[in-house]
Amino acid sequence: MIREEIAKAKVLVESLPYISEFREKTVVIKYGGHAMVDETLKRNFALDVILMKYIGINPVIVHGGGPQINRFLEKMRITPSYVQGMRVTDGETMDVVEMVLVGKVNKEIVGLINHCGGKAVGLSGRDGDLVQARKLTIQGKPAGEDRPPELIDIGRVGEVTRINPEILEALDRQDFIPVIAPVGVGEDGQAFNINADLVAGAIAAELNAVKLMLLTDVEGVKNQNGELISTIYRDQIDDLINAGVIKGGMIPKVNCCKSALDGGVAKAHIIDGRQEHAILLEIFTRKGIGTELVA
């Protein structure tokens, strides 16, 4: 029994330098994937961010909710459609997106954190003009040698134009943990559906976060032999994409990290949210987990 207690003490001692390094710093966490579904992982996530806040680190959470949106659309007999991996969002779908993300998923996360002893506040990107956006138009395949690519309208899907940090700074002064749904607001006040990774990256850059952490359902970025790459430097990213090492759904995540690094974020991490206490393992251990991206 005493050996177990000694082991716990060693873990605490090992974490001291990291607590000192990150105290009073901001860490932005994109919360998604299996970590939002499994009950044990959900509770562990809540406890992890509460612990961070208790020891002086300022966690800011941006969450996804794609599967929850799809389940609600199915009940309404609306078939989801995608273009280049992005949800086509007409007016009716946007109403569902906002209702599910803001009215259901966000409140569940906030409620769990508060139930576990934390102080969380739920926000939409529309609150206080937090996430300002414009309509995103994507390019299709080239129509011909002498013709530009076709522009595809995917509805009320947006891209971030500006983050207004005032509401986040006010919440930080009152020791609240912000939990943000990735819905942006346009100049005319209408809502936009925005990829949660992109919102997290933009907020991390605006807040000069020491870390951006993306929770996924994979270990991290792997090489062509299937081995985890522990560190990727900013100037290696394009070469790894061109070589096919970074591919598929990992490309937008890595590009999100690259934009955050360019915006001044010290480090970005792609980690496996299926691992219990993944956030704490990344922040407070020497080895860490997943893939870190550095400038």
Side-chain angles (χ1 to χ4, degrees):
M1 190 67 173
I2 189 65
R3 290 182 179 177
E4 293 180 4
E5 300 305 320
I6 291 172
K8 291 178 182 178
K10 287 182 177 179
V11 170
L12 291 172
V13 170
E14 182 183 348
S15 68
L16 280 175
Y18 304 102
I19 293 173
S20 176
E21 180 181 357
F22 300 129
R23 185 172 175 80
E24 298 183 355
K25 303 290 178 61
T26 296
V27 174
V28 176
I29 305 162
K30 186 302 183 93
Y31 180 42
H34 197 67
M36 286 183 64
V37 178
D38 181 275
E39 291 300 323
T40 299
L41 294 176
K42 286 163 63 174
R43 180 174 172 80
N44 286 342
F45 176 82
L47 293 172
D48 290 352
V49 296
I50 292 169
L51 176 61
M52 291 169 65
K53 194 68 175 178
Y54 278 173
I55 62 178
I57 300 172
N58 302 317
V60 175
I61 301 164
V62 179
H63 65 83
Q68 294 91 332
I69 293 169
N70 286 344
R71 283 197 294 271
F72 201 93
L73 289 172
E74 288 173 9
K75 291 179 181 179
M76 297 179 65
R77 298 187 178 181
I78 299 173
T79 302
S81 58
Y82 298 86
V83 174
Q84 296 181 18
M86 288 178 282
R87 184 189 300 275
V88 177
T89 309
D90 59 14
E92 187 176 22
T93 302
M94 186 65 232
D95 290 342
V96 172
V97 167
E98 191 163 19
M99 178 176 62
V100 173
L101 289 181
V102 181
K104 186 175 188 299
V105 177
N106 186 274
K107 302 312 175 191
E108 288 177 353
I109 298 168
V110 169
L112 181 58
I113 293 173
N114 290 340
H115 177 73
C116 291
K119 285 175 56 181
V121 171
L123 298 169
S124 159
R126 300 176 77 178
D127 293 326
D129 283 346
L130 170 60
V131 180
Q132 298 169 28
R134 65 186 171 209
K135 182 180 178 65
L136 174 66
T137 302
I138 61 176
Q139 293 186 346
K141 295 180 180 179
E145 292 185 4
D146 300 324
R147 298 176 61 188
E150 178 187 5
L151 297 179
I152 302 175
D153 186 348
I154 54 175
R156 288 166 63 178
V157 176
E159 59 183 346
V160 179
T161 57
R162 180 176 178 270
I163 299 296
N164 179 4
E166 290 181 3
I167 191 169
L168 298 180
E169 292 167 350
L171 290 173
D172 178 40
R173 288 193 294 270
Q174 298 298 319
D175 288 329
F176 283 102
I177 300 170
V179 180
I180 303 163
V183 174
V185 59
E187 290 184 355
D188 58 359
Q190 73 172 330
F192 283 104
N193 179 22
I194 309 178
N195 178 280
D197 291 340
L198 299 180
V199 173
I203 289 175
E206 179 63 35
L207 297 180
N208 295 315
V210 68
K211 286 181 182 290
L212 166 66
M213 306 178 73
L214 306 182
L215 270 63
T216 68
D217 287 342
V218 296
E219 291 181 67
V221 181
K222 295 185 177 181
N223 63 22
Q224 291 166 321
N225 296 322
E227 300 165 332
L228 182 69
I229 304 174
S230 60
T231 301
I232 296 175
Y233 291 95
R234 169 53 183 92
D235 57 7
Q236 295 177 315
I237 292 173
D238 290 340
D239 290 339
L240 290 172
I241 292 174
N242 293 334
V245 175
I246 299 173
K247 56 188 176 182
M250 189 59 72
I251 293 176
K253 292 186 180 298
V254 170
N255 280 333
C256 165
C257 293
K258 181 171 68 172
S259 296
L261 294 174
D262 291 344
V265 175
K267 283 187 179 181
H269 304 263
I270 298 173
I271 63 176
D272 189 351
R274 300 169 301 177
Q275 169 70 56
E276 288 191 47
H277 302 295
I279 300 170
L280 300 186
L281 289 171
E282 177 55 56
I283 295 177
F284 297 128
T285 62
R286 188 174 296 108
K287 187 176 181 181
I289 63 172
T291 299
E292 66 173 7
L293 296 97
V294 296

